[in-house]
Amino acid sequence: MASSGSDHTPRIGITTYLEPTIWGVWERDAALLPRVYLDAVVAAGGVPLLLPPVGTDPSILDILDGLVIAGGCDVDPTSYGAVPHSETVDTRPGRDEHEAVLIRAALDQDLPLLAICRGLQMLNVTLGGTLQQHLPEAVGHDEHRPEPAIFGRTDVKIDPDTLTARLFGDRTTVHCYHHQALDVVAPGLRVTARAGDGTVEAAEVDGHDFALGVQWHPEENPDDLRLFTALVAEVLRRRTR
């Protein structure tokens, strides 16, 4: 079981990238994560623990109180039985497998789970769904990823009577950067928010108090940390049960 019964600062695991990296005189593969994720967890009252996509062992969740599946590159289409699109050019199958193991284990243990951007896509694929590999072909515009390294802004409409609505009300505006999105939604995954063009922006796993994925990047808006604050609050709430 996860360690949520004790009184330590909530320990929030965050999945990381494994990428060719340059620092100082070194050029090597390294596990890395944008600092904004770390700052968001700390600002919300948690302590971040990095989970690199090597040496995967789901028992690591036993020392965690919550799990964040971070954003990143495209999910490998072969993991959901699709032929790669010409725009699907940057995949990390090893990371996909790593995160799928952690997602399944977190759901099995009912560990509070927040899946961000690619994380929502991995949540859907892990549960048996598929992805739209190049969103502009489906919606007719590039507003979800307007320019390289430039976040877009998306207005999101939220379904009532959902965790998403309790956090954000009936609508919100978010930072986004993605060219893929959910296509066939997995069994047991409930869509709770969409963009105006129909793109799935949030989904929750049935039967769990806090297993939520969002297509946007909440870590990129330090003025709105409601998702991270809610994740830490859920950990603390469970300690009082």
Side-chain angles (χ1 to χ4, degrees), residues 3-16:
S3 56
S4 56
S6 59
D7 59 359
H8 58 257
T9 301
R11 299 167 178 164
I12 307 301
I14 314 174
T15 59
T16 67

Side-chain angles (χ1 to χ4, degrees), residues 21-29:
T21 308
I22 298 173
W23 71 98
V25 298
W26 304 105
E27 183 173 353
R28 295 182 176 179
D29 287 354

Side-chain angles (χ1 to χ4, degrees), residues 141-178:
H141 62 78
D142 295 317
E143 294 174 10
H144 294 279
R145 189 180 66 174
E147 298 288 344
I150 300 296
F151 285 87
R153 300 276 286 175
T154 299
D155 295 325
V156 175
K157 184 176 181 181
I158 301 168
D159 290 350
D161 301 319
T162 62
L163 171 61
T164 315
R166 291 199 297 275
L167 297 178
F168 294 99
D170 62 356
R171 61 185 63 245
T172 189
T173 301
V174 298
H175 291 68
C176 62
Y177 190 83
H178 61 101

Side-chain angles (χ1 to χ4, degrees), residues 188-236:
L189 193 61
R190 177 188 177 187
V191 174
T192 59
R194 292 183 184 269
D197 59 18
T199 300
V200 174
E201 292 290 340
E204 301 170 17
V205 181
D206 292 338
H208 294 267
D209 291 337
F210 202 108
L212 168 64
V214 296
Q215 187 58 72
W216 67 84
H217 280 274
E219 78 283 359
E220 291 294 332
N221 185 0
D223 295 324
D224 185 358
L225 297 178
R226 282 176 285 183
L227 280 167
F228 293 95
T229 300
L231 177 64
V232 171
E234 176 65 14
V235 171
L236 299 176

